[in-house]
Amino acid sequence: MRILFLHEVNYLEKPIFEMHEFPEHLSILGHDVGFVHFPEGWSRQEISRQGFRKVIAGRAVEKSLLTLFTPQVAKGDFFGRIATALTFYWTMRRIIREFSPDVIVSYSVPTSGWQALMAAKDLNVPFLFRALDVSHQIRKSKFATLIKWAEKYVFRNADHISANNPALASYAIDCGAQSNRVSVENPPLDLLHFSSARIHRNQIRARLGISESSRVVIYMGSFFYFSGLTEVIHDLAASEHQDIYLVLVGGGEQGPELRDLVKSLDLEDRVKFTGFISFEDLPLYLGCADAAINPMRPSLVSHLALPNKVLQYLACGLPVVSFELRGLSRALPDESSLKIASLDGGILESTLEVLEQPPLTEAQVQETQAKLLKDFSIESTVRLFASLIKSLEAKNRG
């Protein structure tokens, strides 16, 4: 089967998550997989060198191959994104004719998603939208109203909506998706990759300038405006516990603001920014911590998310502290390694309580990993996702 994936981020530079894992595992299973991305952050010269169509090796799965399509916009910046939004319908028609997909799987909404859906409808190709978040709130934008319109258009007109958690599936239905065209498929988790995280614990701490006896709290992921990290940093500055270190792995739109805040509070010795870490090395950095946090405060966008970071934290054997969020709670009910923080006290206060307790036992870690293996293993999630794609292709063919 020929499957064409679509997202509005840079496939070659975005930190690895399911938008890499699903396509690349499907490639290994023998499917012809294409991917249309947006070359964010690239110059005109880099886009030109990449070319419109190129076969590439996968980033997450060894020996996987994909056909990568790169819209030839002037630059991968804001204006390039606007240009893509205005012209992508015709670009997508060209790609469909060249690649001849049996099914299109889209993660995209404003930059290329609704336009791709229109092209797919016109050329009679089944369109599956994979919902991970609330598109119109994931970034601050003066175009939020237009993005919400595009989001509703996709929910109402896609042949099927696959959500990564039950709360997001309910949101899709509230936005106009037909309930019989909405389902929940869990994201894949490479448990083996994360299960040996603590092997180089002290070496990573030494690299970051943290002593073996200090207590380390870690956050990994994108620095979005709703991340809750500013509150954590302020609470750390006010805390009397001077042996607590905060390690921030990742980056994003809030990065400069967070660095300025750390500097202004004189916390540069205790807050460590690592930048983006390769997927290969990510478990090593997570393993240097004593606890992990998901500090997003309750809101529409955080309630409907299933943060992939939380699954990876748990797979590493870390206790995790988060606020009560519907998507997370419904995906991980009764998870003993997940502590729910009080909104009044904040994430750091609850994390300090976790740090005062004995570390998780090997038996507790193995129990959590067994639950994750049951619900999020690569084998089961890829099989179910492939089955959904095949059902759409068969329905269209019939």
Side-chain angles (χ1 to χ4, degrees):
M1 189 161 54
R2 297 178 70 81
I3 308 168
L4 181 65
F5 284 81
L6 171 75
H7 207 340
E8 53 199 19
V9 296
N10 192 320
Y11 190 89
L12 297 174
E13 295 184 356
K14 190 75 173 176
I16 289 173
F17 67 110
E18 73 158 69
M19 82 165 209
H20 302 91
E21 293 168 311
F22 271 143
E24 294 178 21
H25 280 290
L26 289 168
S27 167
I28 291 295
L29 291 177
H31 300 288
D32 290 329
V33 179
F35 203 106
V36 189
H37 74 151
F38 176 75
E40 58 183 347
W42 281 5
S43 67
R44 182 196 302 268
Q45 292 75 21
E46 288 171 314
I47 293 170
S48 179
R49 281 198 301 269
Q50 180 67 28
F52 181 67
R53 176 174 180 163
K54 187 175 184 179
V55 175
I56 63 166
R59 296 181 56 204
V61 182
E62 188 177 357
K63 297 183 180 179
S64 62
L65 293 173
L66 298 88
T67 301
L68 185 69
F69 292 92
T70 305
Q72 296 295 291
V73 292
K75 290 178 67 176
D77 57 5
F78 171 78
F79 296 105
R81 197 174 289 276
I82 294 296
T84 300
L86 295 174
T87 62
F88 194 77
Y89 170 81
W90 301 106
T91 302
M92 192 64 181
R93 286 181 67 98
R94 174 186 171 186
I95 293 171
I96 291 173
R97 290 197 173 103
E98 285 192 18
F99 192 72
S100 299
D102 297 303
V103 177
I104 294 168
V105 180
S106 175
Y107 291 93
S108 179
V109 174
T111 303
S112 54
W114 61 273
Q115 308 91 323
L117 175 53
M118 291 175 65
K121 291 288 184 184
D122 289 346
L123 298 176
N124 193 33
V125 182
F127 190 94
L128 169 64
F129 179 66
R130 174 63 170 168
L132 303 183
D133 47 47
V134 181
S135 297
H136 73 278
Q137 289 195 1
I138 199 69
R139 289 185 174 91
K140 287 182 178 179
S141 172
K142 55 189 173 184
F143 299 109
T145 300
L146 289 175
I147 295 172
K148 187 174 182 178
W149 173 87
E151 188 177 40
K152 287 185 174 182
Y153 175 82
V154 171
F155 281 138
R156 291 169 178 168
N157 292 281
D159 294 288
H160 197 87
I161 309 295
S162 169
N164 75 343
N165 73 82
L168 192 53
S170 297
Y171 172 74
I173 294 170
D174 291 342
C175 287
Q178 297 179 36
S179 58
N180 63 341
R181 294 185 177 183
V182 179
S183 60
V184 177
E185 281 75 35
N186 287 337
L189 173 66
D190 189 345
L191 186 65
L192 182 63
H193 183 64
F194 290 94
S195 60
S196 58
R198 302 177 76 82
I199 291 177
H200 300 288
R201 170 185 174 89
N202 291 331
Q203 291 94 317
I204 298 298
R205 285 190 173 210
R207 186 180 300 174
L208 295 172
I210 302 172
S211 70
E212 296 180 14
S213 60
S214 296
R215 294 180 292 178
V216 177
V217 178
I218 199 164
Y219 170 92
M220 179 268 294
S222 297
F223 299 169
F224 288 124
Y225 69 93
F226 55 83
S227 66
L229 289 173
T230 54
E231 292 89 343
V232 175
I233 292 170
H234 277 293
D235 288 346
L236 182 66
S239 173
E240 60 186 30
H241 297 275
Q242 297 297 307
D243 66 330
I244 304 296
Y245 285 77
L246 177 63
V247 176
L248 301 178
V249 179
E253 62 182 2
Q254 200 184 22
E257 175 189 341
L258 295 178
R259 289 178 183 274
D260 288 343
L261 178 61
V262 167
K263 185 175 182 180
S264 69
L265 294 174
D266 197 24
L267 287 175
E268 291 172 293
D269 288 340
R270 294 172 56 205
V271 179
K272 307 293 183 177
F273 292 88
T274 70
F276 288 106
I277 299 298
S278 71
F279 187 68
E280 180 182 359
D281 291 338
L282 187 55
L284 305 182
Y285 280 81
L286 295 180
C288 84
D290 299 294
I293 56 173
N294 178 47
M296 293 189 297
R297 284 188 169 268
S299 66
L300 177 63
V301 68
S302 59
H303 267 309
L304 301 185
L306 172 56
N308 204 48
K309 64 172 71 66
V310 173
L311 303 179
Q312 294 171 342
Y313 293 157
L314 293 170
C316 287
L318 290 170
V320 181
V321 184
S322 175
F323 293 116
E324 181 76 45
L325 302 172
R326 290 196 300 274
L328 190 59
S329 298
R330 292 176 66 178
L332 297 169
D334 305 318
E335 174 51 59
S336 59
S337 298
L338 178 61
K339 178 178 176 60
I340 301 303
S342 162
L343 282 172
D344 294 333
I347 283 286
L348 189 62
E349 180 178 306
S350 296
T351 305
L352 290 172
E353 293 174 6
V354 168
L355 294 175
E356 293 298 328
Q357 299 171 3
L360 296 177
T361 66
E362 188 62 28
Q364 289 174 308
V365 172
Q366 289 179 0
E367 180 183 359
T368 294
Q369 291 176 341
K371 293 178 184 177
L372 293 172
L373 187 63
K374 175 178 177 293
D375 294 328
F376 300 96
S377 73
I378 287 175
E379 180 181 3
S380 64
T381 55
V382 172
R383 174 174 50 81
L384 290 172
F385 200 63
S387 177
L388 174 59
I389 293 171
K390 289 178 182 177
S391 71
L392 290 177
E393 189 272 338
K395 183 178 179 181
N396 188 62
R397 187 177 64 245

